[in-house]
Amino acid sequence: MAPIRRTTALAVLAGMTVVAGLAGCSSDAGTGAGTTAPVPETRTWDNPDGTTVVIPAEPERIVLVDPDPATAAVARTTAGDRVVGASVPADRDAEIERPDGWAELSPGRAPTSASVAEVRPALIVSHPDVAANGRLGEIAPVALLPREEGDRWRPASVRAGRLLGTQVAVMSRIRDADDRIATLRAEIAPITTLTPLEVRPDGMVARRGAHPEPLLDELGIRLPAALRRAGGTDCCVPVGVDALDRFDADYVFVAVDPVPAAEERYAELTDDPQWRALGAAQREDLHRVNARAWAQATLPGVETALDDVERYVVCLLYT
């Protein structure tokens, strides 16, 4: 009986080979050799509120409703013209950099359903606080991203990239940033100190705790002792020009909020003798830097901040 079973098995195998060969030669075979499986048109997205929504696999015509800086920055630098509009509250307008191609939906206030529908979105990106406006879901799928607190620019950028379909580009840029951090750290002298100042319409603050301090830590750069010991737990320590010398450091980076009132205050500061008397100013180690890059933990912001460190700290070590 063993020979019969062997003959039968060989016959079945031969038959399967013939069928497979015919299928591979057939012009109608959608999954045969040399063909590509069709790309799914949709995918699911798990919202932080526990709901699941079906969204386009490769979203086009994206609208951002009250996005956080990290999401908006990833959309601006990786999604290109696939983002067609954004709605940003008036009190956060200066935080979000928007290309000319983004339509402004209901500037300064919450968007109406009509203003969002007018740009014909295929996907609406927002966060759970805005999701209460249930009528947006009648226009297009609403995918939610949690607001990130602190310096979590890496996970926030990855999540935004996954949602927008640009995760590969985002991950590549994060790896590049990590490589640059390691390279710069090796070049920076030990016990280098830096004070990050922010000029606002209502005054000046020194930043600590939140961004950019964690990034400076990764680079091996420390805040001056007086700033580390300053009272309170707030991320921003108010600084008057008369006490500015307490926060002098090897380097002082000044970010000016992108509003006219802050520019006016900065102009007044640069004319003040106490400002010009700072050790960093005397050594020409006081530099104005991009406000969004040094006040917000975003992927493009970190890239710009690393440019500043390379230009003003590392390169000057060899001049």
Side-chain angles (χ1 to χ4, degrees):
M1 296 300 292
I4 296 175
R5 284 200 299 271
R6 182 170 180 273
T7 302
T8 303
L10 289 173
V12 171
L13 179 61
M16 291 173 63
T17 304
V18 171
V19 172
L22 291 174
C25 296
S26 173
S27 60
D28 296 332
T31 58
T35 65
T36 303
V39 176
E41 294 184 357
T42 60
R43 56 190 167 103
T44 58
W45 180 261
D46 295 329
N47 286 326
D49 63 0
T51 62
T52 299
V53 62
V54 177
I55 66 172
E58 297 181 358
E60 302 282 344
R61 303 197 63 79
I62 302 165
V63 164
L64 309 178
V65 176
D66 191 11
D68 66 12
T71 300
V74 168
R76 174 175 56 82
T77 59
T78 66
D81 58 8
R82 294 191 294 119
V83 179
V84 295
S87 172
V88 180
D91 62 344
R92 299 182 59 243
D93 186 65
E95 297 180 12
I96 307 297
E97 183 177 351
R98 284 166 288 184
D100 293 337
W102 290 11
E104 293 193 16
L105 310 176
S106 307
R109 56 189 175 85
T112 63
S113 297
S115 66
V116 175
E118 188 175 340
V119 296
R120 298 176 291 107
L123 175 65
I124 298 171
V125 177
S126 190
H127 58 87
D129 294 343
V130 175
N133 184 354
R135 297 196 64 181
L136 291 177
E138 300 172 4
I139 301 168
V142 180
L144 307 178
L145 287 168
R147 285 200 182 281
E148 283 293 350
E149 300 294 336
D151 204 60
R152 294 171 54 80
W153 59 273
R154 289 180 179 89
S157 300
V158 170
R159 267 194 295 268
R162 283 180 50 228
L163 176 54
L164 299 173
T166 61
Q167 184 177 6
V168 173
V170 168
M171 290 297 297
S172 176
R173 287 171 60 183
I174 290 175
R175 284 193 295 270
D176 289 344
D178 287 339
D179 289 343
R180 288 188 69 192
I181 289 170
T183 300
L184 291 172
R185 183 185 179 99
E187 297 289 338
I188 293 170
I191 321 179
T192 296
T193 59
L194 185 151
T195 296
L197 295 178
E198 181 182 355
V199 180
R200 300 173 171 179
D202 57 350
M204 181 170 55
V205 298
R207 298 186 63 87
R208 66 172 186 186
H211 183 75
E213 185 178 1
L215 177 62
L216 295 177
D217 284 344
E218 290 188 60
L219 290 164
I221 298 174
R222 302 184 67 186
L223 301 182
L227 181 53
R228 296 198 309 270
R229 292 196 302 261
T233 58
D234 190 37
C235 68
C236 301
V237 178
V239 179
V241 73
D242 56 336
L244 191 56
D245 60 332
R246 293 180 51 226
F247 302 108
D248 203 357
D250 295 326
Y251 301 90
V252 175
F253 284 4
V254 186
V256 183
D257 286 3
V259 293
E263 289 286 353
E264 293 173 6
R265 184 169 291 274
Y266 177 66
E268 295 172 358
L269 284 168
T270 56
D271 285 336
D272 192 294
Q274 292 173 290
W275 178 273
R276 296 196 299 268
L278 275 176
Q282 295 286 316
R283 296 188 305 273
E284 298 186 351
D285 288 328
L286 188 156
H287 304 282
R288 179 170 176 173
V289 292
N290 182 278
R292 293 189 178 96
W294 285 89
Q296 300 170 358
T298 70
L299 174 56
V302 166
E303 292 168 333
T304 300
L306 294 177
D307 289 341
D308 291 333
V309 171
E310 183 172 6
R311 181 183 303 114
Y312 297 128
V313 178
V314 173
C315 288
L316 292 180
L317 291 174
Y318 302 99
T319 59

